[in-house]
Amino acid sequence: MTGLRYVYAVCRPLGAPLQAQLTGIGGAPPALLSHRGLIAVVSTVPEADFCEEGLKAHLEDLDWLAATARAHQGVIDALTTVTTPLPLRLATVFRDDSGVRSMMEARETDFLHALDRLEGRVEWGVKVFTEPPPEPATDERAATAATGEKPDKPMSGRDYLRRRRADTRAHEADLQAAEAFADALHQRLDAHAEASRLHPPQNASLSGARGRNVLNAAYLVPRNHSEEFVELVDRTKDEAGGLRVELTGPWAAYSFSGFAEEDARHGASAGEGR
């Protein structure tokens, strides 16, 4: 079985070694490929899995995709502890080391510019969710909960519609308050970050997260200011009023490097550089 060169990220020469036990996709340890002052972090992956046809088949295998993404992220996380990596798109592969070096040479100026801009900085993610509404009660249970007494007769259709309209208005008011809180939180965090990105709200059916996502943002923060940023987010949780504020990170600067998005726009995937 032949292999392809999988590229996780590009960075400058490391100031400290990677963890000895670190493994990447398929359990292969990552290697460092040098070219003109840049390092590509690579490993060998099976061509059958990462050629165009293989990847197309794996798109239906959610377990395989999740395991591949976890292994990819594990290498990026390890790099983030020792350097500033520029993560490339998931499943960026080349035929051999020569193809990787050709890519690095063609994009050398962009890589160096991004590394200068992102040196010593990390990405923090902040999400705000509404809490999901309680399960709807039956007419009788709803009336009992409202009055404390069991009704003598079932709720009329008119009363039911009136209650539903009141519930809808209350839900809309809660959503507007949640969006106002999210906007104010974003403005506050943006003032303490060097840059920010507002991503589309997460789809609950895909993410599995409870409630409605009203803020999905990334913030670029100097590593040595991260503690203050985290404390600021923690303080705002007390003001959330029934909302859920989630903080993740520190990550490599995925949202600010431009390379994962650029690769996606240009279709970089299995077979690139062949």
Side-chain angles (χ1 to χ4, degrees), residues 40-104:
V41 183
V42 303
S43 66
T44 300
V45 294
E47 183 173 0
D49 286 334
F50 287 89
C51 66
E52 184 175 357
E53 296 78 11
L55 275 177
K56 191 175 297 183
H58 281 310
L59 288 177
E60 305 299 323
D61 186 347
L62 297 183
D63 290 338
W64 185 91
L65 287 173
T68 300
R70 282 195 301 270
H72 179 101
Q73 186 60 45
V75 173
I76 302 300
D77 289 345
L79 283 168
T80 304
T81 65
V82 297
T83 189
T84 300
L86 300 176
L88 298 190
R89 186 191 181 204
L90 188 72
T92 297
V93 296
F94 296 82
R95 173 63 65 185
D96 50 28
D97 287 351
S98 177
V100 179
R101 288 194 170 97
S102 294
M103 177 274 294
M104 294 169 71

Side-chain angles (χ1 to χ4, degrees), residues 155-219:
M155 182 182 296
S156 70
R158 180 177 296 177
D159 289 340
Y160 175 77
L161 291 176
R162 186 181 297 117
R163 180 170 61 82
R164 289 298 300 268
R165 285 195 294 270
D167 289 345
T168 298
R169 287 194 294 271
H171 176 70
E172 290 174 349
D174 288 345
L175 181 58
Q176 289 176 357
E179 291 174 342
F181 171 84
D183 183 63
L185 175 59
H186 171 64
Q187 297 301 326
R188 192 183 309 179
L189 297 179
D190 182 59
H192 285 77
E194 290 192 358
S196 64
R197 295 285 186 275
L198 287 172
H199 297 306
Q202 286 186 330
N203 186 323
S205 63
L206 298 177
S207 68
R210 305 187 326 274
R212 180 167 178 170
N213 183 206
V214 293
L215 177 67
N216 182 16
Y219 301 91

